[in-house]
Amino acid sequence: MGEASQALQKIARGTGVVFAGTVISMFFGFLSRAVIARYFSTGEYGVFNLALTVLSIALVLATLGFQNALPREVAFYREREPLRVGDLVLTALLITALNGILWAAVLILGADKIAGLFNEARLIYALRIVAFAIPFSALTRVTISISRGFGRVREQVYFQNIVYPTAFLLLVALGILLKLPFDFIFGAYVAAWVLTLTALTFDVWKRRVFRFGISLNLKLGKELVRFSIPLMMTGIAGFVMTWTDTLMLGYYLGSEVVGLYNGAAPIARLLPLFLNSAGLIFPPLATVLYAHGKIEELGRVYQVLTKWIFLATFPLFTLMFLFPEATIGFFFGSKYLPAAPALRILAVGFMFHTLLGLNGMSLIVIRESSFIMYSTLVSAGINVVLNAVLIPVYGIEGAAAATAVSYFVTNALNSLRLYQKVEIHPFGRSYVKTLVVGISLLVLVLVEGIKTPSIVYAFVALVIITGVFFVLVLLSRSIDREDVELLLAVEKKMGINLGLIKKVLGCSSRFCL
């Protein structure tokens, strides 16, 4: 078995664990939002989203891009200079702690000015409460990123994906049962992150996940910050791409419209679920291949992984794109149905982001973090301009279109740069055929005008469409050797018999099992 197949199997096994954790996280996160949206007014739900949006900016600044840099850097130092790993870990955590406290203070002191930008007095108190979560959330995220550099996903799944969202949901539910005021939601948010960091710290210490260095290494810290700063700027620009729609809707149209729009946006952001899950496993393994100069194997891993991510994401995209009314009504209720067109537009943008694969992560692996910063800044600028032009005219649909276009631009630029540097791209022959089959099928159903407001009928239609899609993929001979090897690894890991599927796959590809 080749190194590409071995790497793919490791990614598949890890991705399954991460996916399960991510699904749990999404479920509890969605449930928390749904409870808040249904129990409180759309205006209060809008304030909640504005507060978390501002907090997200502060977290990007507090973590300095370490979340994306450390998995690569820890894996690289383990391979080349293992004695420096402990110092790298200690230095990263100390910098994060100090920076987190600094940005918490900035947010507390500047809350009134920030709230003034949105003409929303309720936002002042909300920001002054959630600011206390910054150092705890930042340290949690950076600690988990360090563990990923050791090839571990347990900490990500258990603590960020399960402990935090579960704690927040339980605290929100408790507050509602006790009929506490709306401001309690923000205290619950802080408490959930405090509990998460406490549990994570105890677990890392008990299991000796990694060892700390004996002193702060300023030279190593400078190297880390130098590599991470472009990623921090990328994070800020990425935040602009993701949240400018919410911020500018609040500026132009108020918190009521923000609440309405955030009935669509969280659903659309589910689409990169499989992409992000694979992205947590991919960098350390890809870094090893790159460090040994095995670019051809890295390219093959990229192509096969991208195709499987698309196959896994296609049913979810189909549901959002073809049946947005049924989808949004099921999650948030009928009062959010006006956001259905925005959901369809956002779904297209996030699906384009998904079908091009892990281009950003791959650029980090080959140390092209500066280019990611530039491409994301360009896209963020386009996003701001389009939001300013489209929101006053088209409202939430304009905001959705601006976000979708910005995702088109940044992913196109990153993919072109990746090909320019190492000639890696996702478009293998079998993947192109898969894309043609999927897009053609969606266009055909859309032209037929099949619509339903019922989630039950939408689900039945989804099952039929997805079944037809996978049959056509098999008939088009879009399955490769690595695909079957990947399936065998999944079968072995899960302990189930996939004999029928293996037979179909074997006879549908250019070989038989």
Side-chain angles (χ1 to χ4, degrees):
M1 184 183 297
E3 289 192 58
S5 295
Q6 292 177 0
L8 282 166
Q9 291 191 23
K10 289 179 181 178
I11 292 172
R13 289 192 292 268
T15 299
V17 176
V18 174
F19 172 71
T22 305
V23 168
I24 294 171
S25 175
M26 290 285 189
F27 173 74
F28 284 117
F30 245 73
L31 198 54
S32 298
R33 284 180 173 269
V35 169
I36 294 169
R38 288 176 180 269
Y39 188 78
F40 298 101
S41 68
T42 54
E44 289 172 322
Y45 182 56
V47 171
F48 171 74
N49 281 284
L50 284 173
L52 293 197
T53 300
V54 174
L55 184 73
S56 297
I57 299 175
L59 279 171
V60 171
L61 295 168
T63 55
L64 290 169
F66 287 179
Q67 283 179 266
N68 290 322
L70 282 169
R72 191 267 180 203
E73 292 297 278
V74 170
F76 187 84
Y77 277 104
R78 287 180 66 209
E79 195 73 20
R80 295 290 184 89
E81 300 180 70
L83 295 178
R84 301 182 72 186
V85 173
D87 288 343
L88 177 67
V89 169
L90 179 63
T91 301
L93 290 174
L94 287 174
I95 292 173
T96 302
L98 293 173
N99 207 34
I101 293 170
L102 171 65
W103 283 104
V106 169
L107 193 57
I108 291 170
L109 296 174
D112 54 343
K113 295 181 179 178
I114 296 171
L117 294 174
F118 303 101
N119 296 315
E120 182 57 75
R122 292 175 292 184
L123 192 58
I124 299 175
Y125 191 56
L127 290 176
R128 286 176 175 167
I129 297 175
V130 296
F132 287 98
I134 292 175
F136 299 98
S137 180
L139 282 170
T140 299
R141 295 165 193 267
V142 169
T143 301
I144 289 171
S145 296
I146 292 169
S147 72
R148 285 169 50 205
F150 286 86
R152 296 175 61 89
V153 296
R154 179 182 176 278
E155 289 71 31
Q156 169 82 30
V157 173
Y158 282 14
F159 297 97
Q160 189 162 327
N161 291 347
I162 297 178
V163 173
Y164 162 70
T166 303
F168 182 55
L169 175 61
L170 291 176
L171 289 169
V172 167
L174 178 64
I176 289 175
L177 287 174
L178 296 176
K179 298 183 178 181
L180 297 176
F182 172 66
D183 292 333
F184 170 79
I185 297 297
F186 303 106
Y189 181 85
V190 176
W193 277 116
V194 172
L195 289 171
T196 302
L197 178 61
T198 302
L200 173 62
T201 303
F202 177 76
D203 186 76
V204 167
W205 172 77
K206 182 179 179 181
R207 294 179 179 274
R208 304 189 182 212
V209 175
F210 47 76
R211 293 185 179 182
F212 297 99
I214 57 175
S215 63
L216 177 67
N217 189 321
L218 294 179
K219 182 180 178 181
L220 200 57
K222 289 179 181 178
E223 292 176 4
L224 176 63
V225 171
R226 191 179 301 116
F227 177 64
S228 299
I229 287 297
L231 296 176
M232 183 191 74
M233 297 302 296
T234 300
I236 294 172
F239 169 85
V240 171
M241 287 172 54
T242 304
W243 296 105
T244 291
D245 45 11
T246 294
L247 293 171
M248 294 187 75
L249 281 169
Y251 178 78
Y252 283 111
L253 303 176
S255 58
E256 292 284 341
V257 177
V258 170
L260 183 65
Y261 182 73
N262 275 278
I267 298 175
R269 292 192 187 105
L270 288 172
L271 282 171
L273 176 64
F274 294 97
L275 179 75
N276 294 338
S277 297
L280 292 172
I281 312 298
F282 178 75
L285 295 173
T287 297
V288 172
L289 291 175
Y290 180 72
H292 292 284
K294 297 179 179 179
I295 305 301
E296 184 177 346
E297 288 85 349
L298 178 58
R300 187 58 188 153
V301 169
Y302 188 92
Q303 288 189 343
V304 176
L305 187 59
T306 302
K307 181 173 69 175
W308 275 79
I309 290 170
F310 175 79
L311 289 170
T313 307
F314 182 80
L316 189 58
F317 173 71
T318 299
L319 180 64
M320 296 181 196
F321 183 71
L322 296 180
F323 310 109
E325 293 87 0
T327 305
I328 205 167
F330 174 73
F331 284 111
F332 288 95
S334 59
K335 64 182 178 180
Y336 288 89
L337 287 180
L343 174 59
R344 175 174 280 172
I345 296 169
L346 287 169
V348 173
F350 281 105
M351 190 61 182
F352 185 80
H353 170 49
T354 298
L355 66 85
L356 286 181
L358 293 163
N359 45 39
M361 288 291 184
S362 298
L363 287 174
I364 292 173
V365 167
I366 65 173
R367 293 191 71 87
E368 281 288 313
S369 58
S370 294
F371 182 83
I372 302 175
M373 177 184 68
Y374 298 138
S375 68
T376 313
L377 285 172
V378 168
S379 301
I382 293 172
N383 186 283
V384 172
V385 172
L386 287 177
N387 270 295
V389 171
L390 297 177
I391 286 176
V393 180
Y394 299 104
I396 60 175
E397 288 84 2
T403 297
V405 169
S406 65
Y407 272 91
F408 290 155
V409 173
T410 191
N411 280 280
L413 291 174
N414 287 345
S415 293
L416 286 171
R417 181 64 170 182
L418 185 63
Y419 183 74
Q420 180 188 45
K421 296 298 291 185
V422 288
E423 296 188 352
I424 289 177
H425 63 86
F427 300 111
R429 184 179 178 184
S430 63
Y431 184 43
V432 171
K433 289 190 289 185
T434 301
L435 286 175
V436 171
V437 168
I439 294 171
S440 300
L441 183 60
L442 287 177
V443 170
L444 179 62
V445 175
L446 193 63
V447 170
E448 288 296 319
I450 300 175
K451 294 182 179 180
T452 175
S454 169
I455 191 65
V456 175
Y457 291 131
F459 183 74
V460 171
L462 175 65
V463 170
I464 296 171
I465 294 168
T466 303
V468 171
F469 168 68
F470 281 107
V471 169
L472 291 175
V473 168
L474 294 175
L475 293 177
S476 66
R477 298 182 179 274
S478 300
I479 304 300
D480 297 319
R481 175 177 57 83
E482 290 93 347
D483 298 322
V484 178
E485 290 178 350
L486 210 56
L487 185 71
L488 292 173
V490 172
E491 180 188 47
K492 182 178 179 181
K493 179 70 175 179
M494 297 178 65
I496 58 177
N497 186 3
L498 300 176
L500 178 61
I501 297 177
K502 288 191 296 184
K503 183 178 179 181
V504 173
L505 288 177
C507 295
S508 298
S509 27
R510 291 179 292 277
F511 53 87
C512 287
L513 294 172

